[in-house]
């Protein structure tokens, strides 16, 4: 079983009407701006939970998908190419003061899923306004990655292969965001900005999604009867990916002043997943040592594992239940190994530096995100 942290999709945004702000020079441009507003409106209604469309109508409108997450992905995949096209043409005339003013008048506002609400939540979510179309692109892509990740969790019980693929796709979106989109936005960022607009957060999210993809891959490997030695390395590979993600989020806490309890839970999620997969790695390592007739060493590994994990029990109740099950399994395994060693092998139990070190193997890779742009001419009254 995997730990879950779904709160990243809880972003909000304010309405934007592109044709009311950008002065189109011809009817074709005006129609494209209206289409852009229309495609964004359905996203606004979905994440702001203000849509009154019935399930049946939504299924017909959005590709026949029954899952609301699939429908949201469909909406974003229709909006993003239009937005990319607007940014392309806006960049061509970016030196014109009118384009700068129009973008400011657009009032691009997003509420973060990771930052604190305004005035102790009495006035609802706190919205950040940054006058850059790349802020709109960055927040939309972060939302797209979050929904891909959520969809991966949704299909996890029924399709391990699809789940791993979706996690890898989400990792690719966040990697693109961190390396291609947000660095260009950085000069326009004010001191107070949402965590989603910071490259290190997207890098951390990419690593988390890769770790989750590897965790799903391990489940598939277990079904196929993969050797315990390889399973131990794969689990520790998850731990190594999460170590990198945690370091990135620690860097973010120094860059962003507005840190919420949700962000703290995100960091606890990484810490807890890390501890859980380290325990599983030690369990499979001990199993391999037992097979190799090194029962005393196996006992030492399990004792150390249980000693460490009891200090890392998470606060989230649903995560605690996963921890308790793993601890019970390892405790039972240790009891059997100790009994066998006492009555059969009589091996010395090593401690500390005498125990073997865990080794990791990272086998998953991102599926690169390739942005699409609807190549339509846009002409403005400049």
């Amino acid at each position: 079983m995997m730990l879950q942290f779904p709160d990243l999709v809880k972003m909000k945004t304010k309405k934007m009407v592109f044709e009311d702000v950008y002065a189109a020079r011809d009817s074709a441009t005006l129609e494209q701006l209206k289409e852009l507003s229309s495609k964004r409106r359905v996203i606004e209604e979905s994440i702001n939970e203000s849509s009154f469309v019935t399930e049946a109508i939504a299924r017909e409108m959005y590709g026949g998908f029954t899952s609301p997450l699939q429908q949201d992905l469909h909406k974003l995949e229709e909006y993003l190419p239009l937005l990319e096209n607007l940014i392309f043409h806006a960049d061509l005339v970016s030196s014109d003061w009118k384009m700068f003013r129009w973008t400011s008048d657009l009032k691009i506002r997003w509420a973060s899923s990771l930052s604190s609400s305004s005035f102790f939540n009495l006035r609802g979510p706190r919205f950040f306004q940054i006058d850059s179309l790349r802020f709109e692109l960055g927040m939309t892509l972060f939302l797209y990655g979050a929904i891909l990740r959520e969809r991966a969790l949704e299909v996890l019980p029924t399709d391990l292969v699809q789940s791993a693929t979706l996690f890898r796709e989400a990792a690719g979106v966040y990697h693109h965001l961190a390396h291609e989109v947000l660095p260009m936005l950085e000069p326009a960022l004010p001191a107070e900005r949402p965590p989603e607009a910071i490259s290190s957060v997207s890098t951390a999210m990419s690593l988390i999604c890769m770790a989750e993809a590897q965790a799903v891959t391990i489940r598939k490997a277990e079904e196929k009867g993969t050797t315990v030695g390889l399973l131990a390395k794969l689990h520790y590979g998850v731990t190594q990916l999460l170590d990198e993600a945690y370091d990135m989020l620690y860097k973010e806490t120094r860059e962003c002043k507005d840190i919420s309890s949700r962000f703290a839970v995100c960091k606890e999620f990484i810490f807890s997943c890390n501890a859980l997969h380290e325990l599983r790695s030690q369990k499979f390592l001990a199993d391999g040592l037992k097979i190799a007739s090194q029962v005393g060493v196996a006992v030492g590994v399990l004792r150390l594992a249980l000693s460490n994990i009891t200090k890392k029990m998470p606060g989230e109740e649903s995560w605690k239940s996963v921890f308790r099950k793993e601890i019970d399994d390892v405790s039972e395994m240790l009891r059997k190994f100790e009994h066998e060693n006492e009555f059969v092998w009589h091996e010395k139990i090593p401690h500390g530096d005498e125990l073997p070190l865990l080794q990791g193997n990272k086998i998953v890779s991102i599926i690169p995100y390739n942005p699409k742009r609807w190549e339509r001419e846009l002409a403005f009254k400049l």
Side-chain angles (χ1 to χ4, degrees):
M1 185 179 293
M2 292 172 59
L3 305 186
Q4 297 189 11
F5 178 69
D7 287 2
L8 296 171
V9 297
K10 295 179 179 178
M11 300 166 69
K12 303 289 182 186
T13 189
K14 293 285 189 179
K15 182 180 179 180
M16 294 195 321
V17 183
F18 292 91
E19 67 272 19
D20 286 354
V21 173
Y22 293 102
R25 200 170 65 195
D26 54 45
S27 59
T29 298
L30 179 60
E31 286 305 310
Q32 288 174 56
L33 291 172
K34 287 181 177 179
E35 186 177 5
L36 193 58
S37 298
S38 175
K39 298 297 185 186
R40 192 183 194 274
R41 190 174 304 116
V42 295
I43 297 169
E44 294 165 5
E45 292 172 350
S46 178
I47 65 175
N48 294 338
E49 300 175 300
S50 59
S51 176
F52 297 101
V53 176
T54 65
E55 289 184 13
I57 293 174
R59 187 166 58 248
E60 290 181 17
M61 290 174 64
Y62 308 119
F65 296 120
T66 55
S67 164
L69 292 172
Q70 285 180 295
Q71 293 172 8
D72 286 344
L73 290 172
H74 181 79
K75 296 170 193 175
L76 288 161
E77 286 161 3
E78 289 198 327
Y79 173 63
L80 282 164
L82 292 169
L83 179 61
E84 292 275 7
N85 192 49
L86 175 62
I87 292 172
F88 174 80
H89 285 91
D91 283 349
L92 295 177
V93 291
S94 60
S95 60
D96 193 289
W97 67 271
K98 286 184 181 178
M99 183 58 68
F100 178 80
R101 190 192 70 196
W102 290 338
T103 302
S104 297
D105 291 344
L106 198 56
K107 291 182 170 44
I108 304 169
R109 289 170 291 178
W110 284 83
S112 168
S113 63
L114 292 172
S115 62
S116 57
S117 299
S118 60
F119 198 65
F120 302 106
N121 208 31
L122 295 178
R123 294 180 296 183
R126 177 189 179 189
F127 284 88
F128 294 85
Q129 179 176 330
I130 298 175
D131 299 329
S132 168
L133 287 172
R134 281 191 170 77
F135 176 58
E136 170 71 4
L137 178 61
M139 296 301 278
T140 304
L141 281 172
F142 196 98
L143 177 65
Y144 183 54
I147 295 175
L148 278 171
R149 178 175 173 270
E150 194 73 0
R151 175 63 181 159
L153 291 169
E154 185 177 63
V155 302
L156 179 60
T158 57
D159 193 331
L160 294 177
V161 173
Q162 186 187 5
S163 179
T165 299
L166 287 163
F167 278 126
R168 292 173 61 214
E169 287 179 355
V173 170
Y174 286 121
H175 184 272
H176 173 79
L177 192 52
H179 292 86
E180 304 297 332
V181 178
L182 296 180
M184 297 182 72
L185 174 64
E186 192 169 347
L189 289 176
E192 292 193 358
R193 58 272 182 97
E196 291 91 340
I198 298 173
S199 295
S200 57
V201 174
S202 285
T203 299
M205 283 309 307
S206 182
L207 290 163
I208 290 170
C209 291
M210 285 176 65
E212 290 172 322
Q214 177 141 328
V216 176
T217 302
I218 292 170
R219 286 179 57 172
K220 192 68 177 176
E222 288 174 351
E223 288 181 0
K224 292 181 177 180
T226 301
T227 62
V228 293
L230 179 55
L231 290 174
K233 290 179 180 180
L234 292 177
H235 275 292
Y236 199 65
V238 174
T239 295
Q240 290 173 325
L241 287 166
L242 293 170
D243 277 337
E244 294 178 52
Y246 193 88
D247 288 343
M248 281 292 168
L249 286 189
Y250 176 75
K251 177 183 177 183
E252 194 279 338
T253 59
R254 292 179 295 172
E255 291 183 23
C256 187
K257 298 177 182 178
D258 190 36
I259 303 300
S260 71
S261 58
R262 254 189 222 163
F263 192 85
V265 173
C266 182
K267 290 175 71 175
E268 186 188 3
F269 166 76
I270 297 172
F271 182 79
S272 299
C273 286
N274 185 309
L276 190 63
H277 284 280
E278 183 175 19
L279 176 64
R280 289 169 176 169
S281 178
Q282 290 167 312
K283 181 175 72 172
F284 282 113
L285 173 62
D287 203 6
L289 290 166
K290 164 73 163 50
I291 293 169
S293 300
Q294 298 181 56
V295 180
V297 182
V299 169
V301 167
L302 292 177
R303 284 180 179 176
L304 177 64
L306 287 173
S307 172
N308 288 340
I309 199 67
T310 51
K311 304 170 189 173
K312 300 176 181 179
M313 185 67 71
E316 189 75 21
E317 197 57 44
S318 61
W319 301 350
K320 279 183 181 178
S321 63
V322 178
F323 266 64
R324 290 190 189 106
K325 184 182 183 308
E326 289 292 332
I327 290 171
D328 288 346
D329 289 347
V330 173
S331 298
E332 178 60 20
M333 189 178 185
L334 175 60
R335 187 191 64 77
K336 289 179 179 178
F337 284 12
E338 285 177 331
H339 183 269
E340 185 171 337
N341 190 56
E342 181 180 355
F343 289 97
V344 179
W345 301 100
H346 310 293
E347 289 186 3
K348 176 191 172 184
I349 311 299
H351 302 278
D353 293 342
E354 300 173 326
L355 295 170
L357 297 174
L358 294 170
Q359 297 179 346
N361 190 353
K362 294 175 275 191
I363 61 169
V364 299
S365 59
I366 66 170
I367 295 177
Y369 173 73
N370 298 309
K372 297 179 178 64
R373 178 172 71 87
W374 286 17
E375 298 183 9
R376 299 176 178 179
E377 192 69 29
L378 294 178
F380 305 100
K381 291 180 181 177
L382 298 172

